[in-house]
Amino acid sequence: MSSDATTGQEGGYRKGPILLRGEQVPLTTSDERLLSTSESADWLHGDPWRVLRIQSEFVEGFGALAELGPAISVFGSARTSRDHWDYRAAEEIGRRLVDSGYAVITGGGPGVMEAANRGASLAGGTSVGLGIELPFEQGMNEYVNLGVHFRYFFARKTMFVKYASGFVVLPGGFGTLDELFEALTLVQTRKVGAFPIVLVDSAYWGGLLDWLRTSLVERGTIKASDVDLFTVVDDPEQAVEFLLSARDAANGLE
């Protein structure tokens, strides 16, 4: 990666709480260095200190979000343009969630994340962005009013789950799929309790559902009931209504 490859929306490169520009931009990310293998014993001297840095990310994240209140994590592509239906849908979802008493949590970047943060912010709610150190496609969008930057994906992913009462997943790429299946795994293995997950746009997710029902269920790698761990809808109103119904059911109101 060249020194000017990561400009983000802040005109710089985020490395945890540090902002870097120009020749100060590193050639590798913190995650890449953490996961790299080495034939020498240099890791013995560096990794114990890295553990303290990882610990600080959890402490900072917990401290920033501990008083957040009910919240929903919204996921989707960072590459979605502002004139796309997905962007408009995410913005409406953000607004409807705030109107329903929720804060909105996203990855803090552009595209669908920006849209959900925008809807939440313009509705007068708490709009959370959990940023990540990346060599591209990142930078905290202007609609975040509570932002936390992370070096490590796993620390950030913990915050998405710990402080959310449910997930809304709009069309996205590998990162979105990673977050979706992380949540599904936690629910399937009962690492978390009742945790509503709603996918928006049946045309986009239809192929994935067919694959789950055929390749996975038929081979016996998942149960048929595992496909019912999430719901697919086609518009923002349905997505939020599903979350509210799940909340009412959890509170014994249905």
Side-chain angles (χ1 to χ4, degrees):
M1 180 185 69
S2 66
S3 63
D4 60 350
T6 307
T7 56
Q9 296 183 44
E10 298 172 308
Y13 180 97
R14 276 285 183 176
K15 185 178 180 183
I18 301 170
L19 178 66
L20 301 171
R21 292 192 175 103
E23 295 302 321
Q24 294 296 317
V25 176
L27 298 177
T28 58
T29 67
S30 297
D31 270 316
E32 184 178 351
R33 292 189 293 275
L34 172 66
L35 298 174
S36 68
T37 58
S38 175
E39 296 180 358
S40 71
D42 291 345
W43 63 269
L44 184 63
H45 307 290
D47 276 11
W49 289 105
R50 185 174 284 125
V51 168
L52 295 178
R53 183 181 295 159
I54 293 168
Q55 176 180 307
S56 74
E57 292 215 329
F58 282 106
V59 171
E60 289 168 0
F62 292 158
L65 302 176
E67 299 179 356
L68 181 61
I72 299 294
S73 289
V74 180
F75 301 106
S77 177
R79 306 183 184 191
T80 301
S81 63
R82 291 176 177 172
D83 60 354
H84 197 282
W85 183 89
D86 294 347
Y87 188 100
R88 296 191 296 273
E91 183 176 356
E92 184 176 347
I93 287 170
R95 177 183 63 78
R96 286 179 176 271
L97 287 173
V98 167
D99 290 343
S100 300
Y102 288 108
V104 172
I105 304 173
T106 79
V112 165
M113 294 176 282
E114 176 189 286
N117 285 134
R118 178 176 180 171
S121 178
L122 295 181
T126 303
S127 178
V128 180
L130 305 181
I132 185 67
E133 176 189 340
L134 284 178
F136 56 86
E137 283 186 352
Q138 201 52 266
M140 201 71 76
N141 69 68
E142 63 183 299
Y143 299 103
V144 169
N145 53 41
L146 174 55
V148 185
H149 278 282
F150 294 88
R151 287 182 172 92
Y152 301 105
F153 266 114
F154 56 86
R156 177 185 186 234
K157 288 167 74 175
T158 298
M159 304 303 156
F160 279 129
V161 177
K162 178 173 175 57
Y163 293 102
S165 303
F167 280 4
V168 177
V169 188
L170 288 101
F174 287 157
T176 301
L177 292 173
D178 177 48
E179 289 147 348
L180 168 61
F181 281 103
E182 172 99 1
L184 288 173
T185 300
L186 291 172
V187 175
Q188 182 201 46
T189 57
R190 299 184 182 178
K191 288 292 187 179
V192 297
F195 196 85
I197 302 169
V198 57
L199 281 58
V200 181
D201 191 348
S202 59
Y204 185 86
W205 298 109
L208 174 64
L209 267 66
D210 291 341
W211 178 69
L212 293 175
R213 293 186 179 117
T214 55
S215 295
L216 276 68
V217 172
E218 290 179 5
R219 185 163 294 197
T221 55
I222 66 173
K223 298 179 181 178
S225 59
D226 289 336
V227 184
D228 297 327
L229 295 177
F230 59 89
T231 293
V232 182
V233 301
D234 280 310
D235 65 65
E237 183 178 2
Q238 289 176 324
V240 176
E241 285 180 351
F242 172 76
L243 295 170
L244 296 179
S245 295
R247 181 178 68 182
D248 290 344
N251 292 330
L253 300 178
E254 290 188 347

